[in-house]
Amino acid sequence: VQLQASGGGLVQAGGSLRLSCVASGRTFSAYAMAWFRQAPGKEREFVVAISGSGNRIYLPDSVKGRFTISRDNAKNTLFLQMNSLKPEDTAVYYCAAGARPGPKEMYDYWGQGTQVTVSS
């Protein structure tokens, strides 16, 4: 599976961005998908995950109410809608595909990352 993430950019605090991740190579719906992020000097951290069918979402409290994950299996595309962005959301965001949701070790395929910068 090849993953191509896009949609990052520079936004002011309180603003919104929508990230996309297009997959190619194998049956997209067979994979759980997730977004991770990595800020400078920090480890890559889990942001949100969604099951292959899209009926289960795993969303930590840190982004609950601000971030929404979705997928369009017909278009092999994963989305991350980010609202009410904060400077601490600044990071490179990566999409990932795996057999089932879990920590980063569960994901076999990774996109190249897209930079999100939130200014205060």
Side-chain angles (χ1 to χ4, degrees):
V1 176
Q2 293 80 43
L3 303 174
Q4 181 73 35
S6 62
L10 173 63
V11 63
Q12 289 188 333
S16 298
L17 281 174
R18 189 190 197 204
L19 306 185
S20 299
C21 175
V22 178
S24 61
R26 291 194 178 182
T27 306
F28 181 62
S29 61
Y31 291 93
M33 298 295 296
W35 290 97
F36 287 78
R37 66 186 180 187
Q38 188 166 17
K42 295 188 177 181
E43 291 192 1
R44 193 169 297 188
E45 67 170 352
F46 172 79
V47 177
V48 61
I50 187 169
S51 63
S53 63
N55 64 356
R56 291 187 179 180
I57 291 173
Y58 306 82
L59 190 66
D61 290 342
S62 59
V63 299
K64 194 170 290 183
R66 300 191 301 123
F67 290 10
T68 303
I69 190 171
S70 61
R71 64 191 297 162
D72 185 339
N73 285 345
K75 296 183 178 180
N76 288 2
T77 305
L78 175 74
F79 301 101
L80 180 64
Q81 178 67 44
M82 304 186 293
N83 300 326
S84 303
L85 282 162
K86 305 175 182 179
E88 51 264 42
D89 294 318
T90 294
V92 177
Y93 283 70
Y94 297 89
C95 55
R100 52 188 177 276
K104 60 182 181 288
E105 293 77 18
M106 298 291 290
Y107 296 91
D108 299 312
Y109 305 100
W110 293 83
Q112 86 288 3
T114 185
Q115 177 70 47
V116 171
T117 303
V118 185
S119 63
S120 57

